Amino acid sequence: MRTNHELLIIEDSISVREMIKAHLERIGYVTHATGSPEEAFAILKDRDIDLIISDIIIESTDVTGYHVLKRVKQTDRLAHIPVVMMTERRDAEIARATAEGLGANGFLHKPFSMRELEATIKRLLRPLPAAEGEPR
Amino acid sequence: MATEHDPNLLEIFAAEAQEYTARLKSGIQALENDPGDEDTLNSLLRTVHTLKGSARMLGFETIGATAESIENTLFCIRDGTPDVSDALGSLKRKSDAIFQLVDALTAGAAIDQHHGG
């Protein structure tokens, strides 16, 4: 039985990915991190992911975080997973509205603090059946 | 700033920023040959956008602001500014500035690594 929530981080910047991953692991989450949407779906196939955090613009590919979000929300087995979108775009409100229209559950405008990230995640995570190891 | 707490992140960001600036350099050269090349423009926009976002998340405000300025110039070119040669000149100057900033950061990361590791 799982005792810690498992989070998937999709972020093409290695430094930002590592910063988020290190912080979330420090506070007790199990994380999977990738810069590739394709690899993200391989992780989603293999693991029981509780929440996804995805960048909108993924530098190395034409596939955006919107594509990932849309596919997650249109896949029966994955649609229940809360998705938090993050972006540095200047038209953040338009990006937020687009993300919400596609079913995003949370939105973070870069640069955001680790405290903001943490609060957003805590708001969206559902308790695990055995919650003893859940980060506080 | 995040890197004050984790020197490894500074090293990772410095290496990443070097990669992005190398892509900027070759992309700008390609753009000089063909300012209307949409693929090059879009690729440059994605690169500089990622550099801007990473820099700001990690607290490197000067690099973030310079990347944003480059992004604005790229938008001008993409939107069909009549002064393409001026915009390209501006792009080159701003890019030179960001190369210097990233080089300085890399040198700093090397010092950190030497003394810290």
Side-chain angles (χ1 to χ4, degrees):
Chain A
M1 190 171 286
R2 293 192 299 137
T3 54
N4 294 73
H5 285 104
E6 288 195 32
L7 314 183
L8 171 61
I9 303 155
I10 308 166
E11 164 64 65
D12 54 348
S13 160
I14 303 168
S15 53
V16 175
R17 194 162 74 219
E18 285 306 311
M19 181 172 77
I20 292 173
K21 181 178 164 66
H23 180 79
L24 295 179
E25 286 181 351
R26 207 161 33 237
I27 58 172
Y29 295 113
V30 174
T31 67
H32 306 272
T34 176
S36 146
E38 209 171 301
E39 198 183 324
F41 280 100
I43 294 167
L44 283 165
K45 193 178 169 194
D46 289 345
R47 307 295 310 180
D48 201 357
I49 296 296
D50 298 299
L51 184 138
I52 300 166
I53 305 154
S54 177
D55 197 10
I56 290 180
I57 294 176
I58 301 169
E59 197 258 339
S60 56
T61 168
D62 286 333
V63 177
T64 67
Y66 293 137
H67 292 98
V68 173
L69 171 63
K70 188 175 179 183
R71 191 165 147 195
V72 166
K73 294 299 178 185
Q74 287 183 344
T75 304
D76 287 346
R77 196 181 68 81
L78 306 176
H80 67 283
I81 302 174
V83 181
V84 177
M85 301 301 288
M86 49 185 178
T87 192
E88 217 283 332
R89 288 168 52 149
R90 68 185 66 203
D91 56 348
E93 289 313 310
I94 291 171
R96 180 196 292 267
T98 306
E100 285 173 354
L102 290 168
N105 307 86
F107 189 88
L108 290 164
H109 189 198
K110 293 178 183 175
F112 53 83
S113 68
M114 291 300 101
R115 190 175 292 183
E116 273 177 88
L117 172 69
E118 215 177 306
T120 303
I121 291 171
K122 281 185 176 164
R123 179 172 61 80
L124 294 171
L125 278 177
R126 297 179 187 94
L128 291 170
E132 286 171 21
E134 187 181 346
R136 292 179 193 281
Chain B
M1 182 164 81
T3 47
E4 284 174 359
H5 306 293
D6 188 350
N8 287 335
L9 278 179
L10 169 62
E11 203 186 323
I12 293 170
F13 176 73
E16 188 179 31
Q18 284 287 356
E19 200 182 310
Y20 292 141
T21 51
R23 276 187 230 167
L24 269 181
K25 208 174 272 188
S26 61
I28 289 167
Q29 274 170 3
L31 208 57
E32 281 179 305
N33 295 330
D34 182 4
D37 182 348
E38 276 187 27
D39 286 346
T40 301
L41 258 173
N42 288 332
S43 168
L44 274 168
L45 275 166
R46 283 202 299 258
T47 298
V48 81
H49 180 88
T50 303
L51 176 59
K52 177 183 75 171
S54 309
R56 287 195 166 150
M57 278 298 288
L58 273 80
F60 299 113
E61 291 300 331
T62 314
I63 293 179
T66 310
E68 181 169 36
S69 184
I70 292 173
E71 191 180 33
N72 288 338
T73 307
L74 287 168
F75 279 131
C76 284
I77 295 171
R78 195 185 65 178
D79 293 345
T81 176
D83 301 319
V84 179
S85 60
D86 280 0
L88 281 170
S90 163
L91 194 60
K92 281 183 78 174
R93 282 192 299 278
K94 291 170 186 174
S95 302
D96 285 344
I98 212 164
F99 299 151
Q100 285 180 12
L101 290 169
V102 169
D103 280 347
L105 181 77
T106 306
I111 291 168
D112 266 7
Q113 188 183 23
H114 178 71
H115 289 288

